[in-house]
């Protein structure tokens, strides 16, 4: 480059650089017009029609919020589930781990009188596709049940399988058991596994995780009121290829990840306790 009459020029050329740039842009624009003319000639009488934008949608692109313009990313399961838990359980490493829900632990979830962890309705909807009809029926989830109405609004809410009698005596309701499954929970020192049941109650229509030893299991895992817990689920189905059993059937696994202790439960030499009866 050199300077001629106060303007930058290309070496060996007397024309200013800006003039050369403008000539280049002029030639490129002419080429674009010729290209469009040729395309119109080929199309003949075909006229392109662009539909007008619906009312209220004629804003410029930069007016759309970034969160609305970009698709939402799906949640990724904690690393220790595929890297540590699945190999310990001898399940396929590429088994799909499904996000079920995220909830805050409530006082009733820790109450030994309730002896259950309640699942929210949205979480149950995400869990159902993992179950067969027989499994959903075992959990009392196959059909919608009519909600039981109470005679008096002063009657305490039903939160277990027992129905309050007129004289304060407990009258046992229908026993429908539940779907046996394994619940996995991460604690500060290890990963605990407990065999429990998934069931929906007839009266309150609440879907719960319950069973003998539930309260001791939750206490051992260090859950506290208001802890934010992610709930994940997976189940391996039997798969046979030309008569050869490639994958065995597994129980349904529900994983409770306490986000307050998630870092401590990361997969670094963490111990995995076997399923308790």
């Amino acid at each position: 480059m050199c300077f001629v009459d106060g303007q930058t020029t290309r070496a060996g050329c007397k024309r200013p650089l800006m003039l050369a740039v403008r000539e280049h842009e002029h030639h490129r624009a002419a080429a674009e017009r010729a290209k469009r003319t040729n395309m119109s000639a080929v199309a003949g009488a075909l006229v392109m029609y662009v539909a007008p934008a619906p009312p209220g949608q004629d804003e410029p692109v930069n007016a759309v919020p970034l969160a609305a313009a970009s698709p939402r990313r799906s949640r990724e399961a904690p690393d220790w589930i595929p890297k540590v838990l699945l190999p310990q359980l001898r399940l396929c490493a590429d088994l799909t781990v499904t996000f079920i829900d995220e909830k805050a632990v409530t006082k009733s979830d820790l109450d030994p009188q309730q002896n259950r962890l309640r699942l929210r309705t949205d979480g149950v909807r995400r869990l159902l596709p993992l179950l067969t009809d027989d499994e959903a029926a075992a959990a009392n989830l196959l059909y919608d049940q009519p909600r039981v109405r109470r005679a008096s609004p002063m009657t305490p809410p039903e939160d277990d399988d027992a129905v309050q009698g007129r004289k304060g005596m407990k009258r046992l309701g229908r026993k429908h058991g539940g779907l046996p499954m394994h619940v996995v929970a991460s604690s500060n020192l290890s990963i605990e596994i407990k065999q429990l049941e998934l069931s929906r109650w007839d009266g309150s229509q609440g879907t719960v995780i319950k069973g003998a030893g539930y309260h001791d299991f939750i206490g051992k895992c260090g859950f506290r009121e208001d802890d934010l817990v992610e709930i994940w689920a997976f189940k391996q189905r039997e798969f046979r290829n030309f008569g050869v059993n490639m994958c065995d059937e597994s129980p349904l696994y529900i994983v409770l990840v306490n986000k307050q202790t998630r870092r401590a439960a990361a997969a670094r030499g963490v111990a995995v306790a076997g399923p308790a009866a």
Side-chain angles (χ1 to χ4, degrees):
M1 299 292 179
C2 60
F3 292 91
V4 178
D5 296 332
Q7 296 182 342
T8 306
T9 67
R10 291 176 295 178
C13 180
K14 295 182 180 181
R15 290 183 303 167
L17 180 59
M18 183 58 67
L19 179 60
V21 171
R22 289 175 178 173
E23 290 180 354
H24 172 73
E25 293 293 335
H26 174 74
H27 292 309
R28 188 176 65 175
E32 290 292 335
R33 287 195 297 270
K35 182 178 179 181
R36 288 196 296 268
T37 302
N38 293 336
M39 292 179 61
S40 299
V42 172
L46 180 62
V47 178
M48 296 187 63
Y49 170 74
V50 178
Q57 296 187 11
D58 53 351
E59 294 86 354
V61 175
N62 57 7
V64 181
L66 181 61
S70 59
R72 295 182 60 184
R73 294 182 58 187
S74 59
R75 292 196 186 217
E76 295 182 358
D79 290 341
W80 60 267
I81 295 181
K83 293 181 179 180
V84 177
L85 182 60
L86 295 184
Q88 288 280 351
L89 298 175
R90 297 182 179 180
L91 300 177
C92 297
D94 59 349
L95 187 64
T96 300
V97 181
T98 303
F99 172 74
I100 300 302
D101 201 4
E102 181 177 279
K103 65 163 286 179
V105 177
T106 64
K107 183 177 181 179
S108 61
D109 292 330
L110 304 174
D111 187 355
Q113 298 296 325
Q114 302 290 344
N115 199 37
R116 92 291 182 274
L117 178 74
R118 186 159 187 161
L119 301 181
R120 302 195 308 170
T121 303
D122 288 345
V124 176
R125 292 194 184 104
R126 299 186 188 101
L127 178 62
L128 275 175
L130 276 67
L131 306 179
T132 64
D133 287 349
D134 290 341
E135 292 165 347
N140 199 30
L141 294 172
L142 188 57
Y143 302 106
D144 291 336
Q145 303 292 334
R147 190 179 182 89
V148 176
R149 294 187 177 182
R150 303 187 176 279
S152 171
M154 299 303 294
T155 305
E158 176 188 1
D159 212 2
D160 57 14
D161 288 336
V163 180
Q164 197 75 10
R166 291 183 178 180
K167 297 182 179 180
M169 301 295 292
K170 282 189 175 181
R171 179 170 54 86
L172 295 180
R174 182 174 69 90
K175 293 291 185 180
H176 49 67
L179 173 66
M181 63 175 185
H182 290 164
V183 180
V184 184
S186 60
S187 67
N188 290 325
L189 301 177
S190 65
I191 298 174
E192 303 291 339
I193 304 180
K194 176 71 175 177
Q195 182 174 335
L196 295 170
E197 295 176 342
L198 177 70
S199 182
R200 180 173 63 177
W201 284 327
D202 291 334
S204 64
Q205 295 295 290
T207 302
V208 298
I209 296 172
K210 64 183 182 68
Y214 161 83
H215 184 260
D216 293 339
F217 169 73
I218 290 297
K220 184 185 298 184
C221 296
F223 284 89
R224 298 291 184 267
E225 186 177 354
D226 295 328
D227 280 357
L228 195 60
V229 174
E230 288 182 348
I231 305 175
W232 300 81
F234 57 87
K235 180 176 175 60
Q236 181 171 283
R237 298 293 177 184
E238 182 181 13
F239 174 70
R240 300 179 65 87
N241 187 18
F242 294 103
V244 179
N245 191 10
M246 307 297 293
C247 295
D248 294 326
E249 188 85 6
S250 79
L252 172 67
Y253 284 90
I254 298 289
V255 184
L256 308 177
V257 181
N258 191 339
K259 298 185 71 172
Q260 274 71 13
T261 60
R262 182 169 177 173
R263 293 181 180 178
R268 186 181 62 182
V270 65
V272 178

